[in-house]
Amino acid sequence: MQLVNAKGMILEAQKGNYAIPAFNINNLEWIKSVLSACQEAKAPVILETSESAVKYMGGYKNVVDMVNNVVEFLNITVPVCLHLDHGTFEGAFKALDAGYTSVMFDGSKLSIDENVMKVKQVVEYAKKTNASVEGEVGGIGGTEDGVTSAGELACPEECKRLADTGIDMLAAGIGNIHGKYPANWEGLNFDRLKEIEAACKNTPLVLHGGSGIPAEMVQRAIRHGVCKVNVNTELQLAFAAGTRMYIEGGKDLDGKGFDPRKLLKPGCEMIEQTVKEKLDMFDTTGKAE
Ligand code: 13P
């Protein structure tokens, strides 16, 4: 099965009131584990890499080849999209040239005028390969005295300006944060989400920082226009926990337990389990039947 862009799967999710999970990948183990779990659960999926993950994995071309080869080798039949997460302007073009089927251009730190101008150029370029494009609007951060208790809130008018560029999906802050949520996190801001939803009409919205958000909150966000949920930290924590159990149990010292294929297996199984939990939470299980 060839890699696809995110357009079709996102629009289906929008119609069906569920969300497509976008899992950040780091290496071969991540690619195999995420794809196996999604195939088993019959769920469409977006695999995404940050630019630092691309560097770690040996470049855009290598990521494209690895994903394609694993899809073929494991007989993956569910739709798979390969997406650049938080891409720079230059990175978005490089990823598209290498065969990514979707890119995010993160212009959220730029002025809205420059963000709009650059997003339009990425959208134009992405048309050549029929790739999908995600944009991001910045917002007011929630850090006080170095403590972050609320994530950024995007301005609905700015969201509309970005949505009007022809992007396929829009990341807009509604109090979400990357990484672990602080104990005093104020939760997602649904008033702001509803304003953004109204301003952007039908543009599918993306929820970043999908790790650790309570299920009811994610599901409520999905009812208000969120069609893609990004998850990174939870898979990293799951992998680390599985690996820790193995080492702390002294299993690497037992016979050939030091073989990387054995050593990394519990972490991979934990990734698969976490992926399936997210697919159930986002109601994506069975949607690629
Ligand atoms: P988490 O690491 O919080 O899951 O966020 C992932 C993300 O939003 C990637 O863009």
Side-chain angles (χ1 to χ4, degrees), residues 104-115:
M104 171 185 195
F105 164 59
D106 183 353
S108 62
K109 298 288 178 283
L110 305 173
S111 70
I112 185 66
D113 287 337
E114 194 178 352
N115 191 356

Side-chain angles (χ1 to χ4, degrees), residues 10 12 21 88 106 120 158 160 168 211 219 235 245 275:
I10 291 282
E12 281 298 309
T88 57
D106 183 353
K120 279 186 183 165
E158 292 189 357
K160 182 178 178 337
D168 302 287
S211 294
Q219 288 156 356
L235 296 193
M245 264 190 314
V275 164

Side-chain angles (χ1 to χ4, degrees), residues 22 24 48 85-86 104 177-181 207-212 230-234:
N24 288 75
E48 58 183 21
D85 188 30
H86 292 287
M104 171 185 195
I177 305 170
H178 288 115
K180 286 185 180 177
Y181 282 87
L207 181 65
H208 281 244
S211 294
N230 288 8
V231 179
N232 182 22
T233 303
E234 264 188 81

Side-chain angles (χ1 to χ4, degrees), residues 91-105:
F93 288 86
K94 283 186 191 158
L96 290 168
D97 285 343
Y100 275 59
T101 50
S102 187
V103 289
M104 171 185 195
F105 164 59

